[in-house]
Amino acid sequence: MRVVIAEDEALLRQGLELMLGQAGFDVEAAVADADELERIVAEKNPDVVITDIRMGPTFTEDGMVAALRIRVNHPDTAVMVLSQYVQRRYVRQLLVPATGGVGYLLKQRITDVDAFCENLRTIAAGGTALDPEVVAVMVDRARLSHDDVAKLTPRQREVLTLMAEGRSNAWIANRLVLSEKAVVRHISNIYEALGLPVDADDHRRVLAVIRYLAG
Amino acid sequence: MHVRSPVAYSLDHALLLIGATGVVLAVGFLALVLPRTSIGWIYVLAVIIFWTFLAAGLLAWHRRPSNGIGVLIVLGGFALYLGILADTGVPLLVVVAEVCATLVLAVTVHLLHAFPSGQLRGTFSRATVISGYVVCTVLQAPHYLFAPHNPAHSLGIVDRPDLLNLGLWVQRGAGFLVVAATVILLISRLLRSDATRRRVLVPLFGYGIFAILFWPVGQVALAGVPGVTPLLVVLLQFLIIGGVPIAFSLGVLRGGFARTNELQELGAWLGTAGSARPALTSAVARTLGDDTARILFWMAEREAYVDASGVPAALPAANSDRAWVTVELDGRLVGAIEYDALLIADRRLAQTAGRVVAIAVDRQRLIVELLTSQRELRDSRSRLVLAAEQERRRIARDLHDGIQVQLVLLALQAGQLAHAAGMTNEFRRDATALREGIDSAAGGLREFVHAVVPSTLVEHGLSAAVEDLVDRMPVPTTLELGIGDESLPHAIESAAYFVLAEGLANTLKHSHATTCAVRLNHTDGWLHIDVHDNGIGGAAFDNGVGLSGLNDRVDALGGTLRLTSSTANGTRLSAELPCG
C-alpha cells in the first residue's frame, strides 16, 4: 500500500516513516507542508495520505484544508488526518463529499502501531476511522439534543459508538462479547430508532450514522 | 448658549444707521432722477442693486464684526451708488459720478483679494489692489476729460476722440494686467487650500472675475450683436455686478464662517456658570470666527502639546496656512490656540482671546492631563494582557512542538520494542505498558496545553473553539453563533473563549442547571458573549479567582464583564469586547 506522509515536525515525520516501513507500507514521500503535500499527491496518486492539521505555510489549519481538497480532487486516495485535538466540526467537514476512505485520529494514536495500521487499511478499503474521543463527544451531544438517541439502550449506544469509530461488525462482536448476529440485530434496531434508511453496504451505513451524529 | 455684550449692541445700532442712510440716499436719488427720464425702471433696478450691496454687506458685518468683508461690501455699494449719480443733473454729483464710474470694479478686486479675512495679505496682493483703484479712478480720466462735448460730461476740457480712444485702451490694458495678477494670485491660493474650502472659493472667485471682466469686455463684445441695445448692456452690467455682494456674503456665511462674538463676549462667557457654558474650544472658535480653531494644552512634564482628548499634537509649520499663539498664565505656558491664518489676519485677536481664557485653559489642561494619564494606564494594562496572551501562545506552541512530539516519539519507540522480533511475551507486555504510560503522560500534557490556549482556537478561531466547548457540555446547551470564521484579534478571541469556558464551568460546578444557553454576536465592532443557565444562582465575582481574573482581563482590553445570579433566574455571565 502506497502512503504519503505530511508532518512538519521532522522527528515525528521520520518516526512515522520508519514505523510504517517496518509495518510493510510503502512510503512514497514524506513532506513538511501542505502545498508540497497537494503537489506530491497529484504526482504520485497514493493509496493513503496521512497529514497533520497544523503545518505550513500558515501554521493554522493548512493540513486540514489540503486534506479536504484531496478528498474532492483525488477520490481514490484515502485521507487520514492526525491532530493534537479532535472535534466534531472537522468530522462534519471531512464528510463532504459523503464518501468513505477517510480517518480522523488523535496524533498519539500512531503509537499503538497495530491499531493504527488497521485503521489505515480500513480507510484504504473505503471505510472510516474516527477517534473514540470525538465519537464520544458526538454521541453524548446527540444524547442530549436528540430524543431518538436518548431512547437507545446503553448496549445500543455502545454499538452505535463503535460503529461510528469505523469498527467492523466482527470487531464489535469480539469487543462486546456478542455474536455477530446479535450485533447485526442491534444495528438494525438502531437504524429503525434513528429513522435512518437501511443500506446493505456497510461503509455507506456507517457514513449515514456519522453524518447523523455530526449534526 | 449665545452671549452678547453691550459693544455688540452698539455695533448693531451703527449698522442700522448705515442701512437707514442707504434708504435715504436711494430715495433722494430716485426723487432727482425719475422726473428727468422715460426709463425710470433701470434706475429703480440700480437702486435695488445698491440696496443688495448694503443688505449683504451689513449682514456679513453683523455676523462677523471683526472681519472686514462686510465693510468692503458696504463700500462697494456706495461706490456703485456714486457711479450712478451722473443722471441726477446736479453738477457736483455729476463730477463725482464721472470720477467714480467704475469704482465698484476696483472694490470687487479688493474683495477678491481680501476674502475671507477681510485684510490684504502680502505686498503683491496689496499692490494689485491699489493698482485696481488707480485704473478705475485715475485712468478713468480720459472718459470725462476728452469726451465728446456733452452737457452731462461737465469735466470735459477738450473734445478729442483720438485721446479718448487712446486713454480707453490704456485703461483696458492696465485693467487687464490687474485682473491677470488677481487670477494668478487666486489660483495660487486655491492650490494651497483644502477641498472643503475650495468648494466655497472656486465659485466665488470664478464669479468675481467674470463680473469684473464683463463690465468692459461685455460692453465691447455685445456692441455689434444685432438686437442688443446699449440699455440691455447696462441692464446686464447691473445684474451681474449685483451678484457680487450676494456671492461674497454667502461666502462669508458658508464654509464654516460662523458669526463671531466679540472678545468682551468671551469674557461674558467666562462668567457664566458650569454646565450652561459651551466648551472652551467652541467659545474661542466662535470668538475668532474660525470653526477650525482649536486649543492645544501644554504638558510640562512631557514638554509637548496635546489636544483636548490628550492626543499629542504638533504645532503647524511656520509657513503653512495655519498659525498659532501661545496662551500663558502668570508667565507660565499653559497652551496654545491654533487657527486658520487665511481667515484671521491679525494674530493680536488670537493673542487677546488667549489672555481672556488663560485660566480656563489651565483648568482644562489639568483635566486633559488626568484623562491622559488614565488612558496611559489603560493602555499599559492592555499591553500587559496582550503580552500575556502572546506568551501563553508561545508556551503552548513550544510544548506542542517540543515535549509533546518527543513523548509521541518515545511512545512510538516503546510500541516498536513491543513488536521487536525474538522478545519474550513478558518483555512485550512491559514495552506495551511503557507505551501506554507515555501515552497517558502525553495525554496529560495535551490537556494542560489545551487549558493554556486551546489548539482549536489557534487553528480554527473562536467559533470552532466555542462550538467544541458546547459540544462537550454534559447538560443540554444551545449555541447561537452570530459570528463566522473571521479572525478576531488573538487577545479578544482568547478572552471571549475563557469567559465562555468559565461561564460553562461555573454552570457545571455550582448551579445544578438542567439547560444552558450560549450566545455570541459580533455587531458594530463589538463582540457580545452571553452564557445563561437555569440553575440556582449564587455566583459572584468575589467567590472565585477565575471570575475576578477574567474581569481584570476583559477590563484591560476595554471590555465589560457582567454577572447576574439569582435563584429565580439562574446565572448569566455576559461580556462585551471591542474588536474593531
Side-chain angles (χ1 to χ4, degrees):
Chain A
M1 196 181 297
R2 295 178 309 115
V3 180
V4 168
I5 300 167
E7 162 65 56
D8 67 323
E9 218 23 82
L11 286 174
L12 205 51
R13 189 168 64 238
Q14 285 156 10
L16 255 174
E17 209 176 338
L18 195 68
M19 180 264 273
L20 291 174
Q22 283 172 356
F25 289 88
D26 178 9
V27 179
E28 295 254 308
V31 300
D33 80 70
D35 292 347
E36 180 72 3
L37 171 65
E38 284 193 72
R39 201 185 58 70
I40 210 89
V41 166
E43 185 190 315
K44 309 235 170 191
N45 209 19
D47 298 314
V48 179
V49 159
I50 301 170
T51 179
D52 189 8
I53 288 188
R54 195 192 323 187
M55 63 170 91
T58 73
F59 293 95
T60 54
E61 48 170 7
D62 305 57
M64 179 55 99
V65 174
L68 296 176
R69 273 209 289 265
I70 292 168
R71 292 264 295 144
V72 173
N73 298 335
H74 305 275
D76 294 338
T77 298
V79 175
M80 171 63 79
V81 175
L82 300 178
S83 174
Q84 294 285 358
Y85 190 79
V86 283
Q87 57 175 326
R88 182 172 60 95
R89 175 184 284 229
Y90 284 141
V91 174
R92 217 166 51 213
Q93 291 179 350
L94 281 169
L95 284 181
V96 179
T99 56
V102 65
Y104 179 38
L105 298 177
L106 277 173
K107 204 179 252 184
Q108 69 184 59
R109 304 291 181 211
I110 64 174
T111 63
D112 188 345
V113 179
D114 289 341
F116 183 63
C117 293
E118 178 63 38
N119 281 326
L120 289 182
R121 286 188 201 97
T122 303
I123 65 165
T128 52
L130 291 189
D131 200 274
E133 190 179 307
V134 74
V135 172
V137 167
M138 293 196 304
V139 171
D140 283 347
R141 176 181 166 279
R143 191 170 53 83
L144 294 174
S145 57
H146 294 39
D147 282 347
D148 295 344
V149 180
K151 280 189 204 138
L152 296 179
T153 65
R155 179 41 62 101
Q156 282 172 333
R157 268 205 298 277
E158 268 180 303
V159 173
L160 175 69
T161 302
L162 294 172
M163 259 180 88
E165 287 173 15
R167 310 300 187 183
S168 65
N169 290 357
W171 200 98
I172 297 173
N174 186 29
R175 160 64 76 90
L176 299 182
V177 200
L178 292 170
S179 67
E180 268 195 67
K181 250 173 91 180
V183 171
V184 171
R185 204 169 46 245
H186 278 304
I187 289 175
S188 70
N189 287 340
I190 292 168
Y191 268 78
E192 203 172 316
L194 303 187
L196 292 172
V198 180
D199 200 315
D201 183 288
D202 281 353
H203 294 329
R204 281 214 295 274
R205 223 164 49 182
V206 172
L207 282 173
V209 165
I210 298 171
R211 282 162 69 83
Y212 179 89
L213 293 175
Chain B
M1 202 190 92
H2 191 77
V3 198
R4 300 217 70 193
S5 73
V7 176
Y9 285 111
S10 167
L11 173 71
D12 288 352
H13 293 156
L15 296 183
L16 274 178
L17 201 62
I18 294 173
T21 311
V23 172
V24 170
L25 288 175
V27 170
F29 169 73
L30 289 179
L32 286 171
V33 169
L34 289 185
R36 293 162 41 90
T37 177
S38 57
I39 45 166
W41 60 269
I42 194 87
Y43 294 100
V44 173
L45 177 72
V47 163
I48 290 173
I49 304 287
F50 166 52
W51 277 343
T52 308
F53 267 92
L54 284 194
L58 291 176
L59 182 67
W61 195 341
H62 165 75
R63 300 278 295 247
R64 297 175 56 77
S66 52
N67 178 294
I69 290 292
V71 183
L72 274 176
I73 297 176
V74 169
L75 285 179
F78 284 112
L80 179 85
Y81 180 80
L82 295 179
I84 59 173
L85 287 175
D87 297 306
T88 53
V90 178
L92 178 66
L93 295 184
V94 173
V95 169
V96 170
E98 282 178 339
V99 176
C100 301
T102 56
L103 188 59
V104 66
L105 297 184
V107 178
T108 306
V109 169
H110 191 166
L111 272 170
L112 284 172
H113 281 261
F115 190 83
S117 71
Q119 291 192 18
L120 297 175
R121 296 190 301 280
T123 324
F124 181 65
S125 182
R126 240 172 254 129
T128 309
V129 169
I130 291 170
S131 308
Y133 281 108
V134 171
V135 169
C136 288
T137 52
V138 178
L139 293 186
Q140 181 73 9
H143 286 276
Y144 45 84
L145 296 179
F146 310 126
H149 216 68
N150 167 337
H153 291 91
S154 59
L155 285 180
I157 47 169
V158 56
D159 188 358
R160 287 282 301 277
D162 53 336
L163 286 180
L164 171 63
N165 210 27
L166 179 70
L168 213 64
W169 281 109
V170 168
Q171 188 191 25
R172 280 178 188 159
F176 175 77
L177 288 178
V178 168
V179 173
T182 304
V183 169
I184 291 167
L185 190 91
L186 295 187
I187 287 176
S188 80
R189 280 187 194 167
L190 279 178
L191 291 179
R192 274 184 287 130
S193 55
D194 60 30
T196 334
R197 194 136 283 177
R198 231 174 268 168
R199 270 201 293 280
V200 179
L201 294 183
V202 167
L204 183 71
F205 287 172
Y207 188 78
I209 296 292
F210 166 70
I212 294 169
L213 287 177
F214 184 80
W215 197 283
V217 175
Q219 210 162 16
V220 175
L222 292 176
V225 181
V228 177
T229 61
L231 192 62
L232 183 62
V233 174
V234 172
L235 174 68
L236 284 175
Q237 281 177 337
F238 272 135
L239 287 178
I240 287 165
I241 208 74
V244 168
I246 296 174
F248 275 94
S249 68
L250 276 181
V252 170
L253 304 182
R254 277 193 46 177
F257 307 121
R259 188 197 180 282
T260 46
N261 286 353
E262 282 303 270
L263 281 166
Q264 288 85 341
E265 292 160 24
L266 193 56
W269 167 83
L270 271 179
T272 51
S275 60
R277 194 158 79 169
L280 176 63
T281 300
S282 67
V284 170
R286 196 189 254 283
T287 300
L288 298 180
D290 174 10
D291 272 357
T292 67
R294 59 174 189 161
I295 295 181
L296 301 177
F297 303 94
W298 178 249
M299 297 288 129
E301 262 178 42
R302 283 191 278 164
E303 302 205 326
Y305 285 101
V306 298
D307 68 10
S309 46
V311 177
L315 289 172
N319 56 352
S320 74
D321 286 345
R322 315 262 324 150
W324 52 278
V325 295
T326 55
V327 179
E328 292 180 4
L329 185 67
D330 303 331
R332 178 169 55 88
L333 182 61
V334 293
I337 298 174
E338 188 202 305
Y339 59 90
D340 187 343
L342 296 180
L343 199 59
I344 298 148
D346 189 356
R347 64 187 279 116
R348 282 171 305 179
L349 182 66
Q351 277 166 341
T352 315
R355 274 196 292 278
V356 174
V357 293
I359 289 178
V361 170
D362 195 33
R363 201 181 75 159
Q364 189 77 24
R365 187 183 64 81
L366 292 173
I367 296 172
V368 170
E369 206 165 51
L370 194 65
L371 287 175
T372 310
S373 65
Q374 209 175 29
R375 202 188 37 243
E376 277 168 356
L377 186 66
R378 202 173 55 230
D379 287 352
S380 110
R381 287 180 69 200
S382 154
R383 277 197 300 276
L384 281 178
V385 168
L386 294 181
E389 173 68 23
Q390 256 177 350
E391 193 61 4
R392 250 197 310 274
R393 287 191 182 226
R394 191 189 62 77
I395 291 170
R397 197 175 50 241
D398 286 357
L399 289 173
H400 172 275
D401 295 347
I403 301 176
Q404 227 168 348
V405 169
Q406 281 177 19
L407 285 175
V408 171
L409 279 172
L410 286 175
L412 200 56
Q413 281 166 1
Q416 277 163 337
L417 281 181
H419 284 78
M423 292 297 165
T424 62
N425 279 343
E426 197 175 335
F427 178 85
R428 288 177 202 281
R429 252 201 325 276
D430 287 351
T432 303
L434 175 62
R435 174 180 66 74
E436 285 165 357
I438 299 170
D439 270 352
S440 127
L445 182 64
R446 197 161 57 88
E447 274 169 34
F448 173 78
V449 171
H450 187 76
V452 174
V453 172
S455 58
T456 321
L457 199 58
V458 177
E459 286 167 9
H460 206 132
L462 182 59
S463 67
V466 170
E467 204 177 82
D468 188 59
L469 266 183
V470 171
D471 274 356
R472 287 165 200 256
M473 277 295 281
V475 298
T477 303
T478 59
L479 173 62
E480 187 188 315
L481 202 56
I483 59 169
D485 284 348
E486 72 266 23
S487 127
L488 301 165
H490 286 171
I492 299 291
E493 278 196 333
S494 281
Y497 177 86
F498 284 107
V499 166
L500 285 175
E502 183 67 28
L504 291 174
N506 192 63
T507 293
L508 286 184
K509 271 187 253 167
H510 314 294
S511 76
H512 303 292
T514 55
T515 63
C516 184
V518 173
R519 279 208 305 264
L520 252 101
N521 284 298
H522 186 192
T523 49
D524 303 328
W526 286 83
L527 186 65
H528 309 269
I529 314 156
D530 190 79
V531 185
H532 191 188
D533 68 39
N534 67 345
I536 55 165
F541 276 124
D542 51 4
N543 63 9
V545 182
L547 274 178
S548 61
L550 268 182
N551 195 22
D552 288 347
R553 193 160 162 184
V554 169
D555 191 51
L557 290 168
T560 51
L561 186 67
R562 269 191 311 276
L563 178 71
T564 51
S565 193
S566 72
T567 327
N569 295 316
T571 300
R572 163 171 252 147
L573 181 67
S574 54
E576 255 122 58
L577 289 158
C579 46

